[in-house]
Amino acid sequence: MIKELLASHLVYWLIIILFMLGPFGIILQKNLVKKLMAMNIMQVAVIIFFLVLGQKEGATLPIEIHGLTGAANYINPLPHALMLTAIVVSLSTTGVALALLLLLQKKYGVLEEDELLRRMN
Amino acid sequence: MMEQLPALLILILLLTALASPFLSYISGRIVRWTALAAMFAAACCAIGTLIRVLAEGTWHYSFGGWEPPWGIEYVVDPLGGGMAVLIAIIGFLVLVYSGPYLKEENGLRIGTFHALYLLLATGLMGMVVTGDVFNLYVFLEISSLSAYGLIAAGGYKAVAAAFRYLLIGTVGASLYLLGIGYLYSVTGSLNMADLAQKILLIADSQAVLIAVVMIMLGMGIKMAMFPLHGWLPDSYTYAPPPAAAFISGVMTKVSAYVLFRFFFYIIGAMNGPIPGALQVLGVAACLGIILGSVMAIAQSDFRRMLAYSSVAQVSYVTLGLAIGNVYGLIGAMLHILNHAIMKSCLFLVAGGVKYKTGEHGIEKYAELYEKMPLTMGTFMIAALSMVGIPPTAGFFSKWYLALGAIDKGMWVFVVVIAVSSLLNAVYFFRVIEQVYMRRSKKPEDTGKSAWKISAELPLTMLLPILVLGVSIVVFGVFNEQIVTNILQYALPGGGF
């Protein structure tokens, strides 16, 4: 029962909650590193959403096994391939963001947003 | 060679971008010349592509022998080709201009600047030629990431602005990706042409509705549509002038192009949730035009004023989409072209003044016409064009928008266009007054008669400003030729 519920609706609700944690954290957290982590959580939610699209009940890896024919027996590999790219994108975004934060930390010595704004002006 | 032009467009820029940091270890001069050569080559490729597309129709270019619905293909139609030409030419001019700014930098910084700049151009170029929605996301992120880097090069305030832009921009990109996910889950395709066919049958389903909302929000953030424009003023104000000119000129327009592509080509303006989405776009555009202009009046920093005016001007493009008839769409496309030229020109002028006097405040512009007559003359043309005075280019895009709105009986839009022209006049005439009327408080210079071109600005900075200034008038006078020869083929359905 719980499995069907999970497969039909619940998993998408979980993804939406995970996704909304992102904007929520970006808006409410005062610390810039926490904002960045919220952004990462949001990207992970999108990745999971795509992976769920590729999932199939009772199917196996998309590598041809002898004697096993028909598309129903293999999961869809495309979302996984797409998400590899998305993971790389998310990695590089995080890298750029951390580099920017390093600069700010070196100059102002603080990453709390209100304090930072006060010291900037 | 000719057969491979769409791929070369991307490859030349991408490979030069990757080589730049390494070349900078040899010499900064080599980096600069290769970057200029690459940008010029890309511009030639773009023009060649556009000419062929106009002669023979849409150009499909698939990679590695994979047929379209499975493999990634580049599709260049007159709309995408025109955008590619615009990006390449603005990119080249601004790159020429950036020379004097980088003189004092050391080699590695010159290398990274050019690498980021060329990557930004690669990303934008890729977005307009690709025929695959996920490939578009990748190019979107390439352009965004390099834009964050370029903006952050303008000092510590710019770093904070770039970080904010990064957070908000990533939310936008994630929303777009989620939108694609919904479309993929109901159609099983990522190819634009394939999507367009499969969506027709299910345009009224909830998945398409959610996808449209997500894509509109995501691209709305990227193009600074009115309530989502918070990242823009700081980023444009603190970015280094060459970066600001390129980013403000083309980047938001490319996101507007993506909305255009999705709404009018992939899903279709009459299908499913699009009419509703266009209504929302129209309301957001009206608010953006009025409030952006009002905020621009309130600014005392010239660059910040230009940034808020960008919010208003991008909204004209969405207004054109919201009007949605032939005139409205032509107005939108013409405004993409005109505004890219005008706003790049104005940011270049702002950078030139900063280079010459070190000042950004509008009150510091007093009597600049004596020191920089050519630059200020160009500024005058660009400002009049922003206000929309014939025969400058800005008048004609507003004219088409107004015609479209009258045709469809959308009188609110007509009023908004008229009012915003007045508001534009208020904030630009304020600067023009400073430049030409106001006496500066300092005593008169003695060497007033000894004005020389070389004393105004370095030639590499002056030339791009003048070229853009002249092209504003030229595009204004010859707007009809542009519309009949290029833009009308770019309409969905291919002309009237």
Side-chain angles (χ1 to χ4, degrees):
Chain A
M1 212 290 262
I2 186 85
K3 200 176 165 191
E4 280 161 22
L5 188 67
L6 198 65
S8 64
H9 282 97
L10 203 55
V11 63
Y12 296 106
W13 280 106
L14 291 176
I15 290 168
I16 286 179
I17 292 169
L18 201 59
F19 185 85
M20 289 319 289
L21 275 179
F24 181 79
I26 290 176
I27 293 167
L28 284 189
Q29 291 294 334
K30 287 279 174 259
N31 189 300
L32 294 186
V33 181
K34 286 186 182 162
K35 281 179 191 280
L36 179 61
M37 286 159 74
M39 188 196 87
N40 271 326
I41 292 173
M42 191 185 65
Q43 287 176 317
V44 168
V46 178
I47 291 170
I48 295 177
F49 175 71
F50 269 82
L51 295 188
V52 169
L53 291 184
Q55 200 49 258
K56 213 181 275 178
E57 180 81 32
T60 180
L61 299 178
I63 301 167
E64 192 176 12
I65 300 170
H66 195 70
L68 191 62
T69 50
N73 291 322
Y74 298 101
I75 60 170
N76 183 357
L78 188 65
H80 298 76
L82 298 181
M83 283 311 105
L84 276 181
T85 319
I87 288 169
V88 174
V89 167
S90 133
L91 172 78
S92 38
T93 317
T94 314
V96 173
L98 285 175
L100 297 179
L101 287 182
L102 262 180
L103 280 173
L104 286 178
Q105 165 76 26
K106 261 186 202 156
K107 170 78 176 174
Y108 299 106
V110 63
L111 286 178
E112 302 293 326
E113 196 181 31
D114 32 8
E115 179 68 15
L116 185 76
L117 286 176
R118 215 159 48 78
R119 287 189 195 185
M120 255 167 55
N121 298 317
Chain B
M1 190 71 176
M2 282 298 285
E3 285 304 307
Q4 316 297 335
L5 278 183
L8 281 178
L9 264 181
I10 308 295
L11 279 180
I12 293 174
L13 292 172
L14 184 62
L15 294 178
T16 322
L18 297 181
S20 295
F22 299 104
L23 286 176
S24 71
Y25 281 105
I26 306 173
S27 131
R29 194 177 287 257
I30 293 180
V31 177
R32 200 163 157 65
W33 283 107
T34 28
L36 281 171
M39 213 60 213
F40 186 73
C44 293
C45 288
I47 292 170
T49 315
L50 181 62
I51 289 172
R52 180 175 148 165
V53 167
L54 286 176
E56 298 176 20
T58 307
W59 189 349
H60 293 265
Y61 182 94
S62 50
F63 283 88
W66 290 89
E67 288 302 309
W70 298 282
I72 289 173
E73 65 166 346
Y74 284 176
V75 179
V76 192
D77 56 2
L79 177 63
M83 291 290 291
V85 172
L86 182 70
I87 293 165
I89 289 180
I90 300 270
F92 178 70
L93 287 175
V94 177
L95 193 63
V96 170
Y97 172 93
S98 70
Y101 268 95
L102 298 167
K103 269 221 174 91
E104 283 109 50
E105 306 283 1
N106 63 17
L108 189 60
R109 270 186 73 96
I110 293 181
T112 44
F113 174 85
H114 284 96
L116 287 174
Y117 189 92
L118 292 174
L119 272 180
L120 175 58
T122 313
L124 296 176
M125 199 77 102
M127 282 169 79
V128 298
V129 297
T130 188
D132 183 281
V133 288
F134 187 79
N135 200 230
L136 198 153
Y137 166 76
V138 176
F139 279 122
L140 176 75
E141 282 292 16
I142 291 178
S143 64
S144 305
L145 282 170
S146 36
Y148 308 145
L150 276 178
I151 288 169
Y156 286 99
K157 280 189 175 173
V159 173
F163 183 74
R164 199 174 310 147
Y165 180 17
L166 186 147
L167 286 182
I168 301 174
T170 309
V171 174
S174 299
L175 284 170
Y176 173 76
L177 190 54
L178 214 49
I180 297 178
Y182 274 95
L183 286 184
Y184 177 71
S185 70
V186 288
T187 63
S189 176
L190 291 169
N191 183 282
M192 287 181 185
D194 200 28
L195 265 179
Q197 285 184 352
K198 291 187 174 163
I199 271 182
L200 272 182
L201 304 172
I202 48 157
D204 291 317
S205 70
Q206 281 189 346
V208 175
L209 172 68
I210 293 176
V212 166
V213 171
M214 298 269 180
I215 290 170
M216 195 166 96
L217 278 179
M219 282 302 142
I221 289 176
K222 289 281 181 191
M223 68 190 275
M225 202 169 76
F226 163 65
L228 310 168
H229 68 279
W231 57 269
L232 186 139
D234 270 354
S235 307
Y236 283 15
T237 308
Y238 299 123
F246 190 35
I247 292 173
S248 70
V250 288
M251 204 166 160
T252 46
K253 314 299 182 314
V254 172
S255 304
Y257 156 88
V258 174
L259 269 192
F260 190 17
R261 180 67 75 191
F262 265 94
F263 284 7
F264 286 85
Y265 286 79
I266 297 181
I267 305 179
M270 292 302 155
N271 301 328
I274 299 299
L278 287 177
Q279 270 182 5
V280 176
L281 265 189
V283 174
C286 288
L287 289 173
I289 290 173
I290 299 294
L291 291 174
S293 305
V294 170
M295 285 303 287
I297 293 174
Q299 305 304 319
S300 60
D301 184 315
F302 186 55
R303 296 170 305 173
R304 218 178 172 75
M305 186 190 101
L306 293 181
Y308 275 109
S309 122
S310 285
V311 176
Q313 300 285 325
V314 167
S315 300
Y316 280 116
V317 180
T318 41
L319 190 73
L321 299 189
I323 293 170
N325 55 12
V326 171
Y327 286 127
L329 293 181
I330 286 183
M333 287 186 287
L334 204 57
H335 202 71
I336 288 180
L337 169 74
N338 293 340
H339 182 247
I341 297 169
M342 297 184 294
K343 196 41 73 65
S344 304
C345 183
L346 286 169
F347 266 103
L348 292 185
V349 168
V353 173
K354 161 87 175 157
Y355 185 84
K356 178 84 176 170
T357 65
E359 296 290 350
H360 278 307
I362 292 173
E363 74 278 9
K364 295 293 188 331
Y365 276 51
E367 268 200 337
L368 267 181
Y369 77 99
E370 280 183 356
K371 281 185 220 151
M372 318 171 76
L374 285 176
T375 316
M376 284 304 138
T378 315
F379 161 71
M380 184 89 160
I381 294 174
L384 292 182
S385 176
M386 292 288 279
V387 177
I389 292 176
T392 51
F395 168 74
F396 293 98
S397 40
K398 284 187 188 173
W399 177 249
Y400 280 111
L401 288 177
L403 274 184
I406 292 171
D407 231 31
K408 252 195 159 179
M410 296 170 160
W411 298 101
V412 182
F413 290 175
V414 181
V415 173
V416 165
I417 293 170
V419 169
S420 82
S421 292
L422 293 177
L423 292 172
N424 282 1
V426 171
Y427 61 81
F428 274 113
F429 285 171
R430 193 168 52 122
V431 185
I432 292 177
E433 187 204 356
Q434 285 286 346
V435 171
Y436 285 96
M437 308 292 182
R438 194 66 53 84
R439 297 276 120 190
S440 64
K441 293 181 187 77
K442 275 176 282 179
E444 292 286 303
D445 280 336
T446 44
K448 223 168 86 174
S449 58
W451 175 79
K452 280 184 294 203
I453 284 187
S454 59
E456 184 169 338
L457 277 178
L459 204 60
T460 46
M461 289 174 79
L462 195 57
L463 219 54
I465 294 178
L466 291 180
V467 170
L468 287 174
V470 170
S471 54
I472 290 173
V473 181
V474 171
F475 282 148
V477 173
F478 294 103
N479 78 89
E480 200 194 331
Q481 275 78 355
I482 295 174
V483 171
T484 49
N485 289 329
I486 301 176
L487 292 186
Q488 66 155 312
Y489 298 109
L491 289 166
F496 34 84

